[in-house]
Amino acid sequence: MTRSALCSVFAVVCACGSADGGAGESGSDTTAVDPGDPPYDRLSDWGFFEGALVDQQPAEGVISYTVAAPLWADFAGKGRYMRLPEGGKIGVTEQDEWSFPEGTIFIKTFFFDTDRSDDADAPRIVETRLLIHETTGWESYIYLWDDEQVEATRIKGGADVDLAYVDAEGQPATQLYLVPDQNTCEDCHARDDVARVLGPTTHQLNVDAPADAPGAGNQIDLFSELGLFEVSPGPAADLPAFTPPAGDGDLALRARSYLHGNCAHCHRPGAGGGPSGLSFLYWEDDPAKYGVCKVPAAAGGGAGGNQVDIWPGDPDRSIVPFRMRTTDPEIKMPELPSLLADDFGADLISEWIAGMTEPPCE
Ligand code: HEC
Ligand code: HEC
C-alpha cells in the first residue's frame, strides 16, 4: 500500500498533519515531533489511547472488545480494540465475518505477566498489531514496545524477544517470544487470497463485554445500543455463540469452540490448511471432516505413529492432540509463530476425544 493510498483512507487525518488527538489547542508546542502521515512510526501518534500509552486506556471512539474463544499465543494476554471511521457502521452476518467500512482499525496488544505467581503483577506489553481496512483491503502493521513501556515503534521484519519472568513457583525464568514478520500475518488472516479480520463474528463476540468497554453486559447488545450496526442483528440471546473453552459449558461445545478459534482460520476450505481436508469450523457437522477416523493427507513423522486425526474414545491414538502437544516446529499445530504448546487446549481436546461414543475406526 502506498502512502498516498493510505492518505486517501485517512483523508481527514492527513489533511491536518499532526493528529495526536485529545491534547487541545496548546498553541506553539515546540517539543512535539510531526508524526507525518499514517501509518505512523510511533503507536502513540494514532491517538488510540488516553494518558500514558502503557495504561491502554481507550480514547473516545476506540472500543475495547473480547472474543469467546481466544487464540493461544505462548501465554500472552491480549487487549483488543476497534475504531470505526466517523459515521461508519458494521454489517453483520449470522455465521461468519462481519463487514467493516474502509478506515476501520483493529488493534491487538500482546502482554505478559512478569510474575506468574502473583495475580496483581504489572504486565509487560511486548507488541501491538494493527489491521487497517484500506482502499487495498486489510493491511497489517506491527509495533514493538520498548523495555521502558513508554512507546512502541513500527517494525516490519518481526523480532525475537527474551522475556524474563517469575514462574508460578516463584522462580526466575525466561521465555523466547516471536513477534511475527509482517509478511506472515496472512498465513492466518488470508483466505482465498484475501486478508480478513478473524475475531469479529457473531459466535466470537456473543459474550459479555470487557471491563474497559464503553458499557456493560453482552457485547452484541452493547454494540446495538451504541448504534454501531447498519442493521441491529436483534437480541444477542437469539443469536449463535461459542461456548468459552475455559468455562464450564458442554465439553463438546467447548472443544469445538476452541478448535474454531485456534485452528479454523487455516483449517477450512480456502485457507492454508484447507488442502489437508480437515475443517475445524464450529458448524462443520460431518465428523469425518473434523477428523474422526480421518487418515491424514500427508502421513509421516508428524503423526506420532498414529493412523487417524481423531480415534473416538482414544486420544493417545489420535494425531490431533499429538500435534498440539509437540513443540517440534516441523510437526506442531498450530504452526509458527507460537513456540509453546497450549496444555490447556490439548487437555480439553483429549478429554473431548476420550468421551466420544462414535464406533472405533476400521
Ligand atoms: C497463527 C495465526 C495468526 C497469525 C500468524 C496472526 N494472527 Fe492476527 N489473529 C488471529 C486470530 C485467530 C485472531 C482472532 C482471535 C483473537 O483475537 O484472539 C486474530 C486477531 C487479530 C487482530 C484483531 C482483529 C481480528 O482479526 O480479529 C489483529 C489486529 C491481528 N490479529 C493482527 C495480526 C497481525 C498484524 C499479524 C502479523 C504480524 C497477525 N495478526 C498474525 C490469528 C493470527
Ligand atoms: C497457520 C495455519 C495452520 C494453523 C493455525 C493450524 N494448522 Fe494444522 N495444518 C496446516 C497445514 C498447512 C497442514 C498440512 C501440512 C501438514 O500436515 O503439516 C496442517 C495439517 C494438520 C493436521 C493433519 C491433517 C490431515 O488430515 O492431513 C492436523 C491433525 C492438524 N493440522 C491439526 C491442527 C490443529 C489441532 C490446529 C489448531 C490447534 C491447527 N492444525 C492449526 C496449517 C495450520
Side-chain angles (χ1 to χ4, degrees):
M1 156 131 256
T2 64
R3 177 155 278 207
S4 64
L6 190 55
C7 266
S8 70
V9 176
F10 298 102
V12 183
V13 173
C14 290
C16 56
S18 166
D20 298 71
E25 300 293 300
S26 55
S28 55
D29 182 1
T30 48
T31 55
V33 181
D34 182 349
D37 298 332
Y40 303 115
D41 290 336
R42 297 178 309 178
L43 183 63
S44 60
D45 287 330
W46 288 100
F48 296 141
F49 302 103
E50 283 175 0
L53 199 58
V54 67
D55 295 335
Q56 301 278 288
Q57 201 53 252
E60 179 79 32
V62 174
I63 297 164
S64 172
Y65 73 95
T66 191
V67 292
L71 176 72
W72 160 255
D74 290 355
F75 295 105
K78 295 174 189 170
R80 299 176 182 80
Y81 313 87
M82 68 174 178
R83 188 173 86 182
L84 293 167
E86 193 69 37
K89 304 278 183 203
I90 305 171
V92 178
T93 57
E94 225 186 52
Q95 196 175 60
D96 232 332
E97 288 118 47
W98 294 354
S99 63
F100 295 87
E102 238 172 73
T104 300
I105 304 180
F106 275 89
I107 305 149
K108 195 172 173 192
T109 291
F110 290 64
F111 54 86
F112 288 83
D113 280 349
T114 46
D115 186 344
R116 294 178 194 166
S117 68
D118 176 4
D119 286 343
D121 65 329
R124 172 175 169 200
I125 308 180
V126 172
E127 55 159 330
T128 297
R129 302 181 188 176
L130 306 185
L131 278 167
I132 306 185
H133 198 186
E134 299 173 6
T135 44
T136 42
W138 289 100
E139 301 288 346
S140 309
Y141 301 98
I142 312 161
Y143 290 80
L144 184 66
W145 281 70
D146 58 22
D147 290 342
E148 295 73 34
Q149 302 282 278
V150 173
E151 185 61 273
T153 309
R154 191 154 67 88
I155 58 164
K156 291 181 181 164
D160 294 359
V161 180
D162 283 311
L163 294 169
Y165 65 96
V166 174
D167 70 16
E169 280 74 49
Q171 298 303 313
T174 55
Q175 174 188 343
L176 172 64
Y177 175 75
L178 298 187
V179 176
D181 183 301
Q182 191 176 296
N183 298 319
T184 59
C185 309
E186 299 208 346
D187 292 351
C188 294
H189 280 274
R191 189 170 78 249
D192 297 322
D193 294 327
V194 178
R196 301 154 194 274
V197 281
L198 297 172
T201 67
T202 301
H203 289 77
Q204 276 286 36
L205 297 204
N206 198 353
V207 281
D208 282 349
D212 57 349
N218 179 282
Q219 232 166 207
I220 294 184
D221 289 336
L222 174 63
F223 286 11
S224 290
E225 274 164 42
L226 294 170
L228 301 185
F229 295 121
E230 278 163 11
V231 179
S232 166
D238 297 343
L239 299 170
F242 284 152
T243 302
D248 53 10
D250 177 80
L251 175 61
L253 297 180
R254 285 191 288 130
R256 293 298 301 276
S257 299
Y258 179 92
L259 289 171
H260 186 116
N262 283 274
C263 320
H265 37 277
C266 289
H267 286 287
R268 62 183 294 172
S276 69
L278 194 58
S279 167
F280 285 130
L281 290 170
Y282 181 78
W283 42 87
E284 175 57 70
D285 52 16
D286 177 357
K289 292 233 174 73
Y290 59 75
V292 176
C293 298
K294 180 184 180 302
V295 177
N306 298 325
Q307 306 304 316
V308 294
D309 290 337
I310 293 177
W311 187 292
D314 198 345
D316 294 337
R317 288 179 79 171
S318 304
I319 297 171
V320 167
F322 170 77
R323 293 190 68 165
M324 291 174 74
R325 285 186 203 280
T326 178
T327 51
D328 178 338
E330 298 293 316
I331 303 173
K332 87 175 277 296
M333 282 288 147
E335 297 183 307
L336 293 174
S338 70
L339 298 172
L340 305 174
D342 179 8
D343 292 333
F344 161 79
D347 289 348
L348 172 65
I349 300 311
S350 294
E351 198 188 332
W352 170 56
I353 294 173
M356 283 184 168
T357 52
E358 280 95 341
C361 308
E362 313 237 310

